[in-house]
Amino acid sequence: MGEATSTLERPAAPLWNQSGFAATWDQKVKRAFEIGPKYYALDLPRYIWHRLSLGLSPWDWGALLVNPLREFRRVVYYRPGLPPRYGEALKLFEEKGIQIGMPRPRLESLLGVWWETRGVAGDYIECGACSGATAMLVALLGKWNGVVQRTLMLDTFEGTPIVSRYDPYRTLGEYRLPADQVAVIEQQCRALGIDDRVEVHKGLFSETFPRLAARDLHFAFVHIDANVYPSTLEACRFALPRVRPGGAAVFDDYNGLCDLGARLAIDEFLAGSGKRPQRLAECSAYLRF
Ligand SMILES: C[S@@+](CC[C@H](N)C(=O)[O-])C[C@H]1O[C@@H](n2cnc3c(N)ncnc32)[C@H](O)[C@@H]1O
């Protein structure tokens, strides 16, 4: 895979970067027909087998009763009120040339759930921050609305570092970013005036979590968006036990047709806890603590 171009060198781009997912109706239908038959013929039987091998119940109705055409629609299942000054924050992002890679329905539902946790004492952690736009938006809205909270962004910033046999659709190096991405994020944080509340942790989760474990961290909000089984399981093991009562977690990939590995990891971690993620928007899900 070739080196991605630095954000600093790129010409002005639209606020919503739709290159990472099927954005138009044609693309969605095409994708649904590409993935749908294979999902039922191959992926689902394999997934059920994986669930059994991990000691999980095979009756996962959320994965069994999937309509591939519906999966690619912009469906919002739960959207609480957006934080004040959200529109203003988007304008500032546009002005500063910061692109948002997450689809709008998912982003706005996530922000709504995050806003509901604003009274909980604890930080925001994003395991799989990629370009950092989602986390920066949370940090900006937190600052403008007086939420006392640090924002932790974790990523290799070099793309997906590991895939397992549970992740047939995922490839090494997917979501790879320009080599100077951390410098770009730091510069963007300064431009937004949020550098005092953002921490960027570049590296594998398996390297970062032991360092963070030495601190007495608690989270009001956990955002897990790593797509693959091993990373998602690591993120659940580190972050979820540190969520304070009243806090929440959003799993960006829980209902993704191509992310059954991430779903397996979340279900494996939550097995026996009586907790089950609820549908949020498109493929994302949330959990309250
Ligand atoms: C879909 S992207 C995240 C998108 C981002 N949350 C957003 O809102 O735009 C998934 C990211 O997870 C990261 N990732 C996956 N496994 C990881 C691991 N074990 N350690 C560090 N980063 C990881 C990848 O590098 C990739 O950037």
Side-chain angles (χ1 to χ4, degrees), residues 63-246:
L64 288 166
L65 302 175
V66 162
N67 173 351
L69 280 172
R70 186 177 165 82
E71 290 317 294
F72 291 99
R73 275 178 38 206
R74 299 195 141 196
V75 195
V76 172
Y77 299 91
Y78 178 58
R79 183 161 66 199
L82 282 162
R85 302 183 69 185
Y86 166 66
E88 210 183 313
L90 291 187
K91 280 203 193 99
L92 186 59
F93 265 48
E94 199 158 22
E95 206 180 292
K96 303 290 179 194
I98 304 173
Q99 282 196 297
I100 298 173
M102 184 178 281
R104 193 164 185 160
R106 252 188 274 165
L107 177 80
E108 294 183 349
S109 292
L110 176 142
L111 289 175
V113 177
W114 166 76
W115 183 239
E116 286 185 331
T117 66
R118 63 191 176 278
V120 179
D123 294 322
Y124 170 101
I125 185 168
E126 188 162 323
C127 304
C130 209
S131 71
T134 306
M136 284 191 278
L137 192 53
V138 167
L140 181 64
L141 289 166
K143 179 154 189 164
W144 282 358
N145 289 299
V147 180
V148 181
Q149 181 170 78
R150 291 193 71 73
T151 296
L152 281 67
M153 295 186 201
L154 279 64
D155 208 296
T156 59
F157 299 106
E158 293 170 3
T160 305
I162 181 170
V163 289
S164 72
R165 63 199 177 100
Y166 304 130
D167 310 299
Y169 285 97
R170 296 296 166 189
T171 50
L172 287 178
E174 205 178 352
Y175 303 106
R176 185 161 182 255
L177 292 159
D180 63 348
Q181 185 62 32
V182 172
V184 169
I185 292 175
E186 285 169 352
Q187 189 216 44
Q188 290 172 335
C189 286
R190 281 193 297 277
L192 294 170
I194 53 170
D195 47 316
D196 56 336
R197 53 192 289 145
V198 172
E199 295 177 20
V200 182
H201 296 274
K202 178 175 162 62
L204 292 168
F205 296 161
S206 56
E207 296 160 351
T208 305
F209 290 147
R211 282 199 302 272
L212 295 181
R215 293 161 52 180
D216 186 27
L217 286 173
H218 295 278
F219 303 115
F221 194 92
V222 169
H223 178 194
I224 297 181
D225 188 2
N227 303 96
V228 289
Y229 172 86
S231 308
T232 304
L233 189 58
E234 280 178 307
C236 288
R237 285 181 175 154
F238 175 78
L240 299 186
R242 290 173 168 82
V243 181
R244 282 246 160 87

